[in-house]
C-alpha cells in the first residue's frame, strides 16, 4: 500500500508539471498574454509548490520514512492552497455560467483546478503514515495569501490587470464587496486547513501503531520466586515443588 501511494504521489507531481506547461502553452495564444501575469495566479503558484511537496512526500513513502513534523505542516499548507484554488475557480465558473458568460476551461486548467485538488484531498484523507500536524500551523496559513494579495493589488494598480475579479476595484465596490469576497476567500483557507489538521489528529498515529504492534509481540517472562532450589526458580517450578511436597505418593517414593 505504501509503495502504491508513493508512486501515485510521484505520478500526480508529474501530471502537475505537464498541466502547468500545457496551460502556459495554451495562454501563449492570447494577445494579452504576459509571462508575469501567468505566474501571478494563485493557482499556478500553489500548484508549483504542490509539485515539489508531492514529489518529496512520494520519495519519503517509497523509502519507508515518515514525514518530519515541519514537512507535514508545509504539506498541510500547500494542500490547503491547492484545494481552495479549486473551490474558488469552481465557484467562478459556476457563477459565470449563471450570468450567461462562458469561461473556457482547457484540459490543462481542469487538471490544475479540479483533478489535482481532488487527488490532494483524497491523499490527505487516505494516505498512510502521516504524522499529526500541530495546530500552531494555523498562525501562518494566511501569511502567503496576504503577501500575494497585497503584491497583486499593488501591481494591478500599476499594470491594470488582476488575476481574479474580487481584487479588481473596477469589478467590486470598496469596501463592501471587496471585504466580503476576500473575507470569504480567507475564511475558506482557514476552514480547509482546520479540517486537514483535524483529520491528521483523528487518524491513528504511525508511531503509535508501531508501538502497539511491538507491544503485542513482546512476551513477559513469568516472575521468579524463591524456592527450595534457590533463587531464580520460576512459578511453574515452585508450584510443582509445592504440589510434590504435599503428595503422599511422592512422599512414599522418597
Amino acid at each position: 500500500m505504501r509503495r502504491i501511494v508513493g508512486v501515485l504521489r510521484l505520478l500526480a507531481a508529474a501530471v502537475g508539471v505537464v498541466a502547468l506547461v500545457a496551460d502556459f502553452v495554451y495562454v501563449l495564444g492570447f494577445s494579452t498574454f504576459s509571462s508575469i501575469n501567468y505566474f501571478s495566479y494563485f493557482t499556478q503558484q500553489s500548484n508549483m509548490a504542490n509539485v515539489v511537496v508531492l514529489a518529496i512526500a512520494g520519495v519519503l513513502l517509497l523509502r519507508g520514512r515518515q514525514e518530519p513534523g515541519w514537512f507535514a505542516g508545509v504539506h498541510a499548507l500547500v494542500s490547503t492552497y491547492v484545494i481552495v484554488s479549486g473551490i474558488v475557480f469552481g465557484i467562478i465558473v459556476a457563477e459565470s455560467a449563471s450570468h450567461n458568460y462562458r469561461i473556457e476551461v482547457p484540459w490543462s486548467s481542469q487538471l490544475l483546478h479540479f483533478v489535482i485538488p481532488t487527488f490532494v484531498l483524497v491523499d490527505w484523507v487516505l494516505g498512510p503514515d502521516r504524522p499529526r500536524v500541530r495546530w500552531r500551523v494555523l498562525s501562518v496559513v494566511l501569511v502567503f495569501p496576504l503577501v500575494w494579495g497585497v503584491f497583486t493589488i499593488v501591481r494591478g494598480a500599476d499594470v491594470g490587470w488582476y488575476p481574479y475579479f474580487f481584487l479588481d476595484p473596477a469589478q467590486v465596490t470598496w469596501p463592501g464587496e471587496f471585504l466580503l469576497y476576500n473575507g470569504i476567500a480567507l475564511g475558506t483557507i482557514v476552514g480547509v486547513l482546520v479540517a486537514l489538521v483535524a483529520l491528521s489528529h483523528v487518524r491513528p498515529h504511525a508511531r503509535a501503531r508501531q508501538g502497539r504492534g511491538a507491544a503485542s509481540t513482546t512476551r513477559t517472562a513469568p516472575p521468579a520466586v524463591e524456592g527450595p532450589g534457590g533463587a531464580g526458580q520460576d512459578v511453574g517450578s515452585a508450584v510443582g515443588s509445592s504440589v510434590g511436597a504435599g503428595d503422599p505418593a511422592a512422599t512414599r517414593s522418597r
Side-chain angles (χ1 to χ4, degrees):
M1 179 63 180
R2 292 173 60 89
R3 290 187 177 276
I4 293 175
V5 176
V7 171
L8 288 176
R9 288 176 180 174
L10 294 179
L11 288 175
V15 170
V17 172
V18 171
L20 287 167
V21 173
D23 207 47
F24 183 83
V25 172
Y26 171 77
V27 296
L28 279 174
F30 290 86
S31 58
T32 57
F33 169 77
S34 167
S35 58
I36 299 179
N37 289 351
Y38 175 81
F39 290 106
S40 296
Y41 279 97
F42 190 87
T43 297
Q44 265 64 16
Q45 294 183 16
S46 60
N47 271 279
M48 285 187 287
N50 188 51
V51 167
V52 177
V53 168
L54 284 178
I56 295 175
V59 171
L60 287 175
L61 204 55
L62 288 175
R63 296 181 63 183
R65 297 176 57 186
Q66 189 180 18
E67 294 183 12
W70 66 268
F71 182 76
V74 173
H75 196 160
L77 289 172
V78 174
S79 297
T80 297
Y81 301 148
V82 170
I83 293 170
V84 172
S85 295
I87 294 173
V88 172
F89 187 77
I91 293 175
I92 292 175
V93 171
E95 284 295 314
S96 64
S98 65
H99 289 80
N100 297 322
Y101 180 79
R102 181 176 176 271
I103 296 180
E104 185 175 356
V105 185
W107 65 266
S108 57
S109 188
Q110 293 178 26
L111 288 176
L112 293 173
H113 290 102
F114 304 131
V115 177
I116 293 177
T118 301
F119 173 83
V120 166
L121 179 59
V122 173
D123 177 51
W124 187 269
V125 175
L126 302 179
D129 296 338
R130 179 173 295 109
R132 291 183 177 92
V133 179
R134 297 184 178 183
W135 286 105
R136 67 185 182 186
V137 73
L138 287 168
S139 63
V140 298
V141 65
L142 293 181
V143 172
F144 170 64
L146 289 175
V147 171
W148 173 86
V150 171
F151 168 79
T152 301
I153 292 172
V154 172
R155 180 175 180 272
D158 182 48
V159 301
W161 177 87
Y162 299 86
Y164 303 103
F165 79 93
F166 49 83
L167 296 175
D168 188 351
Q171 300 189 58
V172 294
T173 59
W174 171 267
E177 290 182 344
F178 178 86
L179 294 178
L180 175 62
Y181 286 125
N182 286 278
I184 291 174
L186 294 176
T188 303
I189 291 174
V190 174
V192 170
L193 181 60
V194 168
L196 296 185
V197 175
L199 283 171
S200 77
H201 283 257
V202 169
R203 295 173 51 199
H205 197 282
R207 292 175 182 171
R209 291 200 302 272
Q210 293 172 0
R212 288 195 298 269
S216 63
T217 58
T218 302
R219 295 182 179 179
T220 304
V225 298
E226 193 74 26
Q233 186 179 23
D234 62 31
V235 174
S237 299
V239 172
S241 298
S242 62
V243 171
D247 186 357
T251 305
R252 288 192 300 269
S253 64
R254 293 193 185 97

